[in-house]
């Protein structure tokens, strides 16, 4: 500003958005989010730099080509819904197709399809002011999707809605996204919203990007003090999952190994329990030293002595839900994938660590002492 007399809206920002990704741009009011998203469809002309969709440089396109791209590839959903009050829901939804010159029959059919997808068909003949804010925003979204754009630009689309309706809208968007696999650039000033819906998040401040990464990246490896402070108040237990805090599991293959192998492994690792798996690492149970000794003494197979009631969680279980399971028992939980194969264990120490925000476990850093102690006590090594 001092040098040029101009407010710098966006400065030195560079990033890629992957096809089919929900890319969130987050930052406080005035950080440059709207300016940035408007550079993408050239509602604001960039002073310098390039914006590519596939191999086309939007920033160098003729007005005519740009209009075509806006009609067919890019659609924007605004915070204030942007609906025409004198048009019905159906007519609003048809609008983009109408502008594109799509015939009456076809555009009606496409619009109805989009409304149906969003559960709005029953209100198609109503006018926007007859609908709640949440419903209006749903119509705004359906209208954008009726055009079947490749890229959806959403500028604080949910920010004006009540928290509960907002949550519903986030769920709806995620459901729709599962079906449609659009590339979505979504702006919000709300970190919880960003974490909920973003595959990746770009955190902005003063027109610059402070950090780009997954929600977990940003929470567990903040790039600087600003990001750390920004994410400080987030309840990590509602974002982090079993997969984020698990330790490598020490296992015994009950199809191939006998009690001696099991006991030797426990001795070597200085632990008193192993997870029992089969050849394909499907979870079969747990095996304690006592059970292994029993098998050796009575000449039994490990299969016969394991405890089949081993407790387990799926890898995408939220830490907050794991806490409820682990708070009444010190035994570690097996972490399994969608097919019930063992991928790790969670011990109480790391659950509590994630809940209380002391330290969050990641695979390339040292475990906390607390985690190691907990792991030792509970018979599972903290290191592989
Ligand atoms: N048309 C404009 N003229 C001058 N300054 C603007 C204009 N639009 C936005 N700004 C300024 O640019 C900065 C970024 O604004 P904006 O992109 O709207 O932020 P956000 O969407 O993150 O709230 C702010 O300082 C804002 O005051
Ligand atoms: Mg804005």
């Amino acid at each position: 500003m001092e040098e040029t007399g101009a407010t710098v809206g966006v400065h030195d920002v560079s990033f890629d958005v992957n096809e089919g990704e929900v890319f969130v741009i987050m930052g406080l009011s005035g950080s440059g989010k709207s300016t940035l998203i408007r550079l993408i469809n050239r509602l604001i002309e960039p002073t310098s730099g390039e914006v590519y969709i596939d191999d086309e440089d939007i920033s160098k396109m003729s007005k005519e080509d740009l209009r075509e791209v806006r009609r067919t590839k890019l659609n924007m959903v605004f915070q204030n819904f942007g609906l025409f009050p004198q048009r019905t829901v159906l007519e609003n939804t048809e609008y983009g197709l109408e502008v594109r010159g799509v015939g009456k029959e076809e555009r009606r059919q496409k619009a109805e399809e989009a409304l149906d997808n969003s559960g709005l068909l029953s209100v198609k003949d109503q006018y926007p002011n007859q609908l709640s804010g949440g419903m209006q925003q749903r119509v705004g979204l359906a209208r954008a999707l009726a055009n079947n754009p490749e890229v959806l630009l959403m500028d604080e689309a949910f920010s004006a809605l009540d928290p509960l309706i907002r949550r519903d809208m986030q769920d709806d968007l995620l459901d729709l996204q599962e079906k449609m696999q659009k590339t979505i650039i979504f702006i919000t000033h709300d970190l919880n919203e960003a974490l909920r819906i973003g595959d990746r998040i770009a955190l902005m401040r003063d027109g610059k990007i402070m950090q780009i990464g997954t929600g977990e990246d940003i929470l567990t490896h903040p790039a600087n003090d600003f990001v750390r402070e920004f994410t400080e108040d987030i309840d990590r237990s509602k974002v982090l999952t079993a997969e984020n805090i698990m330790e490598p599991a020490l296992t015994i293959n009950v199809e191939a190994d006998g009690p001696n192998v099991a006991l030797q492994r426990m001795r070597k690792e200085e632990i008193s329990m192993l997870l029992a798996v089969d050849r394909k690492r499907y979870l079969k149970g747990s095996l304690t030293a006592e059970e292994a000794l029993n098998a050796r003494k009575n000449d039994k197979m490990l299969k016969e002595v394991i405890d089949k009631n081993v407790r387990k969680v799926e890898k995408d279980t939220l830490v907050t839900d794991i806490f409820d399971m682990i708070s009444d028992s010190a035994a570690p939980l097996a972490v399994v994938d969608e097919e019930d194969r063992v991928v790790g264990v969670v011990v109480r120490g790391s659950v509590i660590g994630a809940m209380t925000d002391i330290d969050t476990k990641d695979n390339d850093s040292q475990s906390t002492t607390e985690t190691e102690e907990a792991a030792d006590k509970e018979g599972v090594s903290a290191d592989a």
Side-chain angles (χ1 to χ4, degrees):
M1 179 133 202
E2 240 166 59
E3 279 175 33
T4 62
T7 303
V8 178
V10 169
H11 176 61
D12 196 17
V13 160
S14 192
F15 60 94
D16 293 300
V17 179
N18 302 317
E19 194 172 342
E21 177 176 41
V22 181
F23 187 88
V24 172
I25 299 168
M26 189 187 55
L28 300 173
S29 175
S31 58
K33 307 180 296 296
S34 292
T35 307
L36 179 55
I37 207 169
R38 285 172 154 83
L39 291 172
I40 295 173
N41 61 0
R42 268 175 68 188
L43 284 179
I44 295 175
E45 293 286 345
T47 332
S48 66
E50 287 141 2
V51 179
Y52 282 93
I53 299 184
D54 299 326
D55 295 327
E56 286 182 302
D57 186 351
I58 301 284
S59 59
K60 303 224 168 35
M61 227 168 233
S62 70
K63 282 262 141 59
E64 199 151 87
D65 290 346
L66 177 63
R67 213 171 299 135
E68 188 57 22
V69 165
R70 282 193 194 146
R71 273 184 208 149
T72 56
K73 288 197 170 174
L74 286 168
N75 250 272
M76 192 136 172
V77 183
F78 296 92
Q79 176 174 2
N80 51 3
F81 321 133
L83 300 178
F84 300 112
Q86 75 284 12
R87 285 173 165 243
T88 64
V89 165
L90 182 62
E91 287 161 357
N92 263 291
T93 311
E94 279 179 38
Y95 176 71
L97 299 161
E98 199 178 315
V99 172
R100 268 163 68 183
V102 175
K104 204 175 161 96
E105 276 299 297
E106 190 186 343
R107 71 178 192 241
R108 185 130 302 188
Q109 185 219 324
K110 288 209 163 126
E112 289 195 346
E113 208 176 288
L115 288 171
D116 198 18
N117 261 333
S118 311
L120 289 167
L121 208 49
S122 59
V123 298
K124 73 182 166 94
D125 296 323
Q126 299 202 17
Y127 288 88
N129 67 5
Q130 295 176 291
L131 305 177
S132 67
M135 289 287 259
Q136 290 183 47
Q137 192 52 278
R138 277 199 176 85
V139 175
L141 188 55
R143 181 172 68 178
L145 290 171
N147 294 320
N148 199 24
E150 286 169 32
V151 182
L152 210 52
L153 305 174
M154 302 181 71
D155 189 354
E156 306 243 14
F158 302 157
S159 295
L161 304 172
D162 291 336
L164 289 177
I165 296 167
R166 193 164 169 178
R167 236 188 131 83
D168 282 351
M169 289 297 295
Q170 293 164 1
D171 287 339
D172 283 5
L173 182 69
L174 291 173
D175 285 349
L176 279 169
Q177 175 62 357
E178 203 152 288
K179 279 188 249 168
M180 309 230 181
Q181 299 290 313
K182 300 285 177 201
T183 302
I184 300 178
I185 302 180
F186 187 100
I187 289 186
T188 181
H189 62 260
D190 177 355
L191 183 56
N192 281 301
E193 183 163 82
L195 291 166
R196 213 153 167 248
I197 68 164
D199 293 314
R200 286 185 307 148
I201 298 167
L203 183 52
M204 288 189 81
R205 180 202 192 183
D206 295 343
K208 294 184 188 154
I209 289 184
M210 296 284 106
Q211 185 167 3
I212 298 181
T214 63
E216 290 143 26
D217 282 344
I218 287 177
L219 290 184
T220 53
H221 302 290
N224 54 39
D225 288 343
F226 173 77
V227 179
R228 187 170 297 117
E229 274 165 38
F230 201 91
T231 59
E232 216 164 48
D233 296 333
I234 283 291
D235 182 351
R236 282 160 169 70
S237 70
K238 297 207 167 80
V239 178
L240 297 177
T241 62
E243 198 172 15
N244 301 131
I245 63 161
M246 71 189 182
E247 326 267 344
L250 290 170
T251 57
I252 186 81
N253 178 344
V254 291
E255 289 180 341
D257 299 328
N260 287 325
V261 176
L263 287 163
Q264 195 183 12
R265 184 161 304 159
M266 290 183 200
R267 204 159 32 234
K268 179 165 162 270
E269 305 287 349
E270 301 183 315
I271 57 173
S272 57
M273 196 202 88
L274 298 169
L275 288 178
V277 296
D278 67 9
R279 269 193 191 85
K280 292 181 169 160
R281 286 187 79 78
Y282 287 105
L283 182 62
K284 293 291 160 188
S286 61
L287 178 76
T288 60
E290 291 75 34
E291 286 158 351
L293 284 166
N294 169 20
R296 182 161 75 180
K297 202 165 110 203
N298 299 309
D299 207 14
K300 284 185 182 164
M301 306 230 287
L302 287 181
K303 256 186 238 181
E304 300 171 81
V305 299
I306 56 173
D307 180 359
K308 296 196 170 88
N309 290 322
V310 60
R311 300 197 307 165
K312 63 176 179 182
V313 290
E314 291 212 1
K315 63 184 167 56
D316 54 6
T317 309
L318 290 173
V319 167
T320 179
D321 297 326
I322 301 172
F323 182 74
D324 295 335
M325 297 179 67
I326 214 163
S327 57
D328 61 341
S329 157
L333 300 176
V335 182
V336 294
D337 65 12
E338 301 79 9
E339 297 184 39
D340 213 32
R341 275 193 292 248
V342 174
V343 292
V345 293
V346 287
V347 298
R348 192 149 70 171
S350 30
V351 176
I352 293 167
M355 297 287 294
T356 53
D357 200 18
I358 299 166
D359 182 32
T360 38
K361 165 99 182 85
D362 57 83
N363 292 329
D364 53 16
S365 79
Q366 292 287 313
S367 311
T368 59
T369 315
E370 191 192 3
T371 306
E372 276 165 22
E373 273 172 17
D376 278 353
K377 244 193 285 174
E378 290 153 19
V380 178
S381 169
D383 298 302

